[in-house]
Amino acid sequence: GQQVMQIPQYQHVQEGEDFTTYCNSSTTLSNIQWYKQRPGGHPVFLIQLVKSGEVKKQKRLTFQFGEAKKNSSLHITATQTTDVGTYFCAGRSNYQLIWGAGTKLIIKP
Amino acid sequence: GAVVSQHPSRVICKSGTSVKIECRSLDFQATTMFWYRQFPKQSLMLMATSNEGSKATYEQGVEKDKFLINHASLTLSTLTVTSAHPEDSSFYICSASTSGVGTQYFGPGTRLLVL
């Protein structure tokens, strides 16, 4: 079946370091969405990418959609404690939303 | 804008009873609502997609007779867990969208504990 693989599962970083999570789909996606879930909270929509090769920025967050519309990444520059949480990608394919397993961002004490 | 509420936020029930969870879009009309289940430290698992006025589409492996979904209006969908068992204990999250392929706005979730 259709799958979206998201890696890594966890990433431990020092505050101020960068963070990146990647999503790869087994099929071409019509769009991909990114969500953030804070510990104990519910997922919050961050952004949607639709176009091949699209790059969007939100302050320290950079989102990319691959040329083949099968992969996507989220990069956070200079992480802060407020960035802690799990980041999910969700790809749209054939009117289904296929979720990645999420990448948990952990800031080292 | 785009606020989605869920009620109740937490519920504890006895095994064998039924529990109804409501999902409401407060400031927009949601033609499509989604129901998810999330186990601790795991990704969201889509259970079903419901469109206003029609039967829900269930994902493979989700029992439609156990998880009854009703989407009677453009602002309300309900999920009823019938004859709940301890293994049904989970975090249930709904989301709402103005279309089946557009942005989803998530509710805060309902934590169900079946004793």
Side-chain angles (χ1 to χ4, degrees), chain A residues 9-69:
Chain A
Q9 188 176 3
Y10 299 94
Q11 189 165 5
H12 295 76
V13 300
Q14 297 279 5
E15 188 174 1
E17 292 182 337
D18 294 353
F19 162 84
T20 306
T21 173
Y22 301 89
C23 284
N24 290 289
S25 169
S26 59
T27 59
T28 302
L29 303 170
S30 54
N31 66 56
I32 192 159
Q33 302 171 8
W34 285 91
Y35 295 81
K36 176 184 178 182
Q37 183 177 20
R38 293 180 183 275
H42 62 280
V44 174
F45 175 80
L46 293 177
I47 205 162
Q48 177 171 289
L49 305 175
V50 180
K51 299 177 183 177
S52 169
E54 189 169 14
V55 177
K56 285 188 176 180
K57 291 191 175 184
Q58 290 179 352
K59 296 182 180 178
R60 295 177 293 104
L61 277 63
T62 302
F63 303 84
Q64 293 187 329
F65 201 11
E67 294 289 342
K69 300 182 74 172

Side-chain angles (χ1 to χ4, degrees), chain B residues 94-106:
Chain B
C94 74
S95 69
S97 175
T98 55
S99 75
V101 295
T103 302
Q104 294 183 38
Y105 300 97
F106 284 87

Side-chain angles (χ1 to χ4, degrees), chain A residues 42-98:
Chain A
H42 62 280
V44 174
F45 175 80
L46 293 177
I47 205 162
Q48 177 171 289
L49 305 175
V50 180
K51 299 177 183 177
S52 169
E54 189 169 14
V55 177
K56 285 188 176 180
K57 291 191 175 184
Q58 290 179 352
K59 296 182 180 178
R60 295 177 293 104
L61 277 63
T62 302
F63 303 84
Q64 293 187 329
F65 201 11
E67 294 289 342
K69 300 182 74 172
K70 283 189 170 184
N71 57 71
S72 182
S73 66
L74 158 60
H75 180 82
I76 302 177
T77 304
T79 54
Q80 300 175 359
T81 55
T82 53
D83 297 325
V84 163
T86 301
Y87 293 83
F88 293 95
C89 64
R92 180 69 63 181
S93 177
N94 296 327
Y95 298 98
Q96 289 186 328
L97 198 61
I98 308 162

Side-chain angles (χ1 to χ4, degrees), chain B residues 76-91:
Chain B
L76 173 64
S77 176
T78 60
L79 166 68
T80 302
V81 182
T82 62
S83 187
H85 287 94
E87 58 264 30
D88 298 324
S89 298
S90 192
F91 192 50

